[in-house]
Amino acid sequence: MVKKIIILGTGGNCVDILDTLLDINDARQEAIYECVGFLDDNRQNWGKKYFGVEVLGPLDSAARYPDCRFVNGIGSPRNFWRKGEIIATTGIPLERFETVVHPSASVSRMAHLGAGVVVFQHVTITSNVKIGNQVIILPNTIVSHDSVVGDYTSIAGGVCISGCVEVGPSCYLGTNSTLISYCKVGARSLIGMGSVVLKDVPENSVMVGNPARFLRKVVE
């Protein structure tokens, strides 16, 4: 049975999700998914089409589509700490969010992925990793053994998470950042692109550099 999917948001990650759904169909050589639309709160996008798929309306119109499942693509350095709040405006229960894994990703059979997780091209997730709900992981990222990633966290491309790391909920790990084994990243923290985290990060912190140093709070 083909699953009808609606993507939340219209940004670059959202278009990449559409591309991933099509890649899954191609890999299976059958229609697993049909993307029937996007939802976005920007009125200027309503009625527009992205690669042939229409923006149907705002996020809170999700209830109009009871036969659809949903995938979230919203979450950037500008709003990552509000990701859970933004998703909540849809009123969609967690069980109606689809977990989507690109065919080129390598996910250990011993790992656990939560609901609504998106895993893009060439991601590697190894043994005993626990990925929370509504996490997005961009291409070429590595999540090593026994690490834990909290709900709503966004992980950019090329990130390397070493073994036994704990990343809290609603964090953002910037492109090509690296986290040393056994470190902990507190909730709602941002790790800047290319940063090297060698010690625990307090919650609500922006960390930059090599080694990563505290720059400011995410939310004052």
Side-chain angles (χ1 to χ4, degrees), residues 86-149:
I86 293 168
I87 293 172
T89 66
T90 65
I92 305 166
L94 186 61
E95 60 268 19
R96 289 185 60 198
F97 280 90
E98 186 76 2
T99 291
V100 175
V101 178
H102 192 276
S104 67
S106 176
V107 179
S108 169
R109 70 194 69 193
M110 303 172 196
H112 171 78
L113 305 185
V117 170
V118 177
V119 179
F120 282 133
Q121 296 94 328
H122 305 293
V123 169
T124 299
I125 299 174
T126 61
S127 61
N128 298 319
V129 167
K130 294 180 175 60
I131 305 294
N133 301 320
Q134 301 288 0
V135 172
I136 188 168
I137 307 176
L138 272 60
N140 299 312
T141 284
I142 298 171
V143 187
S144 298
H145 64 88
D146 300 292
S147 289
V148 178
V149 178

Side-chain angles (χ1 to χ4, degrees), residues 13-197:
N13 288 340
C14 303
V15 175
D16 287 343
I17 290 171
L18 172 61
D19 195 32
T20 294
L21 297 175
L22 296 174
D23 282 348
I24 292 171
N25 287 347
D26 289 347
R28 297 283 190 91
Q29 297 185 331
E30 60 177 319
I32 305 298
Y33 295 118
E34 177 191 359
C35 185
V36 300
F38 297 92
L39 297 181
D40 193 293
D41 282 343
N42 186 344
R43 288 176 175 270
Q44 294 182 346
N45 289 335
W46 299 352
K48 287 184 178 180
K49 290 187 176 180
Y50 292 82
F51 296 90
V53 180
E54 186 175 354
V55 182
L56 303 172
L59 297 179
D60 63 9
S61 67
R64 300 177 191 170
Y65 307 98
D67 61 336
C68 292
R69 295 180 67 81
F70 296 84
V71 183
N72 177 64
I74 299 170
S76 74
R78 297 181 300 276
N79 65 4
F80 67 92
W81 66 94
R82 296 183 54 241
K83 187 173 174 180
E85 175 188 338
I86 293 168
I87 293 172
T89 66
T90 65
I92 305 166
L94 186 61
E95 60 268 19
R96 289 185 60 198
F97 280 90
E98 186 76 2
T99 291
V100 175
V101 178
H102 192 276
S104 67
S106 176
V107 179
S108 169
R109 70 194 69 193
M110 303 172 196
H112 171 78
L113 305 185
V117 170
V118 177
V119 179
F120 282 133
Q121 296 94 328
H122 305 293
V123 169
T124 299
I125 299 174
T126 61
S127 61
N128 298 319
V129 167
K130 294 180 175 60
I131 305 294
N133 301 320
Q134 301 288 0
V135 172
I136 188 168
I137 307 176
L138 272 60
N140 299 312
T141 284
I142 298 171
V143 187
S144 298
H145 64 88
D146 300 292
S147 289
V148 178
V149 178
D151 297 346
Y152 306 115
T153 284
S154 301
I155 303 176
V159 173
C160 183
I161 300 176
S162 301
C164 303
V165 170
E166 294 183 26
V167 179
S170 302
C171 289
Y172 189 97
L173 307 186
T175 302
N176 289 332
S177 58
T178 302
L179 282 67
I180 196 171
S181 296
Y182 295 98
C183 75
K184 297 180 180 180
V185 178
R188 303 180 308 284
S189 290
L190 183 149
I191 308 302
M193 65 171 60
S195 297
V196 179
V197 177

